[in-house]
Amino acid sequence: MPQGPGGGHPDDVLSAYLDDELAPAARHEVEAHLAGCAGCRAELDDVAAARRAIRVLPVHPAPRPLVGAGPLDGAWWPGGAPAPGSGPGGRRRRFVWALAAAAAAVIALLLPRDPEVAPSLPSLADSHAATASVTGDPLTQLAPIAVPVRFGP
Amino acid sequence: VRTRRVAFGCLAACSAVVGLTAARPAAALPGPSTAGPETSAVDLLDRAREAAETQTFEGTVAVEWRDGGQRHSAEVAVRSAGGVLRFGDEVVGAGSKRMIHSADGWLSLWGHDVATLGPPPTAKYRLAVQPGPDIAARPTDVVAVQLVGANRLRERLYVDRDSGLLLRRELLDMSGTPYRSVAFTALTAGPGPAGTATAATVSAPPVAHSQEPTPAHHLKAPYKLHSRIGTGYRLVGAYKANGVVQQFFSDGLHGLSVFEQPGHLRGAETTLAGASGAGRAVEIAGHTMRAYSASVGEAVVWESDGVVYTAVTDGPWSDLAGAVRDLPHADPPGRLRRVAQTVVSLFRWK
């Protein structure tokens, strides 16, 4: 018999039973359980009453930002009508949002806020020597930047 | 020119005063001293600076340096006449102008006088004058340099007794061995056939490009002026060129430049010597940085709070490390933090 987490009572399939969505064998098992369980019969009556009450409520479209915003989108729309945004247009919007988020992530990864800097050491050393040669001895300050670069053996 | 002469005048006046104090430590150092009381170490150094700009001479200068355990050396021809100092075909100094030859012609690196020459060297060093050996077959007086309160020699400067030129300058390691030096190996000085020929051939080249920095008296964030850093380095001036801010410090004998560029460090393009390489990792104030050694001196590159710092000095490595400790050196943000900063910046009101 279909059983729910409540300890043998088919709480989680009562809704499907009301919607006639259960397979014949499962449906027979539920009916057999209901015949001998007053608690489940009362639960079934409550669920059925709640459904009737909800179905007489007027239908209001959801605010636009909620369309396509969650996992319940389109799955629990009153009256069984397809929710706005759950059709082909909604899927397209979700795709665009996902694409934009992915693009933002890629941009964030590839474009650091500050530029990358690779100091040119020879150029900065030349600038230092030029400055130091004006305030200090020009002979010994300038000669080091004039020598051809030759490394020892 | 007038500003520079005023500066030299002030320095000469100061030198006359500090010369008296410099003569006292000279007696404390070992070795005989033939220099008269009027010839103080500071006077000698000041005279050498002026001689390099005014004397007529030509010769060869050898530059030696150590990079880790490897020794390097190179030579360059030097000529000077009419106030133009020329090193081979690469570098020229004329008055306050400094030019270097590049692939696109002569590049001007400096073009204006400075208002100050830095602190007197006697604020940090004990200077003593002794008779020195012959350098390039010319008798010298040697200025021995020690830190105030220390016993170890840090540097020697050999000054030509006749021309006043600085013939050799060497920095010494802990064992007293030179690890970086600039020295004449041959020299012909003064008027004469060689001097006349030099005067006829030395001239300032036409400048094709300029990279001269302009003084920056006020800097906005993230830059911050430091009046003094390290062991006795005082701010001489702040400059800006091509988006790079340079703060130049002096301790009276050596210069130390701190270059600042906004951004994240990608890695230095080349070593100081111009060859490909990534330097060596050093630990300063608990942070790992890249260090480089070359003929020019020592350099350290690091990043802190979105600014890339490059510190260069012609002084000892210990001076550079001490100065870096006084500068910002926060750990660079990780990639995740940078991405977060970037995303947040997209939604930040400007």
Side-chain angles (χ1 to χ4, degrees):
Chain A
M1 183 181 81
Q3 294 182 345
H9 301 284
D11 302 337
D12 55 338
V13 295
L14 289 181
S15 180
Y17 172 77
L18 284 174
D19 291 336
D20 198 18
E21 293 177 344
L22 293 177
R27 182 175 182 82
H28 290 149
E29 289 184 15
V30 170
E31 287 173 343
H33 181 89
L34 287 172
C37 180
C40 282
R41 284 199 299 275
E43 175 75 15
L44 183 67
D45 290 342
D46 288 346
V47 172
R51 286 193 163 200
R52 285 193 296 273
I54 291 172
R55 280 175 179 163
V56 299
L57 292 174
V59 175
H60 296 286
R64 189 170 185 82
L66 291 178
V67 174
L72 293 179
D73 176 43
W76 246 95
W77 206 249
S86 63
R91 282 195 295 273
R92 199 160 40 243
R93 275 193 292 273
R94 282 197 296 273
F95 175 74
V96 169
W97 275 105
L99 195 64
V106 169
I107 290 172
L109 284 170
L110 296 181
L111 294 178
R113 187 163 177 262
D114 295 319
E116 289 199 332
V117 174
S120 174
L121 285 175
S123 174
L124 297 181
D126 291 346
S127 296
H128 166 76
T131 311
S133 71
V134 176
T135 60
D137 177 60
L139 258 175
T140 54
Q141 294 288 359
L142 292 177
I145 63 171
V147 298
V149 177
R150 286 203 297 263
F151 290 100
Chain B
V1 173
R2 185 165 54 232
T3 308
R4 180 163 173 73
R5 282 181 179 160
V6 167
F8 273 126
C10 292
L11 186 71
C14 292
S15 300
V17 175
V18 298
L20 296 174
T21 59
R24 189 166 55 190
L29 288 175
S33 175
T34 58
E38 74 284 359
T39 313
S40 70
V42 176
D43 286 338
L44 278 178
L45 299 179
D46 188 34
R47 184 183 167 208
R49 183 185 299 118
E50 292 198 58
E53 296 180 325
T54 58
Q55 296 264 342
T56 297
F57 61 88
E58 62 180 303
T60 304
V61 169
V63 181
E64 296 183 355
W65 70 98
R66 197 191 294 167
D67 182 3
Q70 204 168 14
R71 284 187 168 277
H72 310 284
S73 65
E75 287 191 340
V76 62
V78 182
R79 292 174 293 165
S80 179
V84 179
L85 183 59
R86 189 163 188 146
F87 297 82
D89 294 324
E90 298 298 321
V91 177
V92 166
S96 61
K97 292 188 177 300
R98 300 290 183 265
M99 289 152 275
I100 189 167
H101 194 258
S102 67
D104 301 325
W106 284 93
L107 175 69
S108 179
L109 294 176
W110 193 268
H112 62 270
D113 296 307
V114 292
T116 176
L117 297 177
T122 48
K124 176 179 177 180
Y125 299 105
R126 288 174 58 199
L127 308 177
V129 182
Q130 310 166 24
D134 286 0
I135 305 287
R138 303 174 73 86
T140 66
D141 285 318
V142 59
V143 178
V145 180
Q146 295 180 339
L147 280 174
V148 170
N151 293 322
R152 184 176 69 82
L153 275 183
R154 294 232 309 182
E155 186 172 0
R156 292 193 199 97
L157 302 105
Y158 302 81
V159 182
D160 189 350
R161 282 183 185 164
D162 296 329
S163 68
L165 290 168
L166 187 53
L167 299 185
R168 179 178 175 86
R169 181 175 194 170
E170 56 190 21
L171 284 163
L172 310 174
D173 63 14
M174 295 292 286
S175 63
T177 305
Y179 65 90
R180 194 178 337 127
S181 67
V182 179
F184 275 96
T185 56
L187 173 65
T188 304
T196 306
T198 300
T201 55
V202 176
S203 59
V207 173
H209 306 278
S210 176
Q211 195 179 294
E212 296 176 12
T214 55
H217 302 295
H218 303 287
L219 294 174
K220 295 179 180 176
Y223 307 112
K224 181 185 176 185
L225 283 175
H226 300 265
S227 59
R228 58 178 63 198
I229 57 173
T231 52
Y233 282 86
R234 295 183 197 171
L235 183 68
V236 173
Y239 315 95
K240 199 167 188 179
N242 299 331
V244 180
V245 167
Q246 176 191 11
Q247 295 189 54
F248 181 76
F249 302 85
S250 172
D251 69 351
L253 277 185
H254 303 288
L256 192 154
S257 290
V258 178
F259 298 94
E260 299 172 59
Q261 299 168 264
H264 295 291
L265 180 61
R266 192 178 73 204
E269 280 182 359
T270 56
T271 68
L272 271 179
S276 296
R280 62 186 187 278
V282 295
E283 192 88 7
I284 299 177
H287 298 266
T288 302
M289 305 175 183
R290 304 299 301 176
Y292 307 81
S293 298
S295 59
V296 182
E298 314 288 339
V300 176
V301 181
W302 77 101
E303 176 190 342
S304 179
D305 292 329
V307 175
V308 176
Y309 294 84
T310 305
V312 183
T313 185
D314 48 90
W317 163 254
S318 56
D319 283 14
L320 186 61
V324 170
R325 286 190 191 95
D326 290 343
L327 295 165
H329 40 64
D331 281 326
R335 184 157 190 83
L336 190 62
R337 186 177 158 199
R338 287 168 57 187
V339 169
Q341 288 174 340
T342 303
V343 172
V344 168
S345 71
L346 294 175
F347 299 96
R348 187 180 298 153
W349 289 101
K350 292 289 184 182

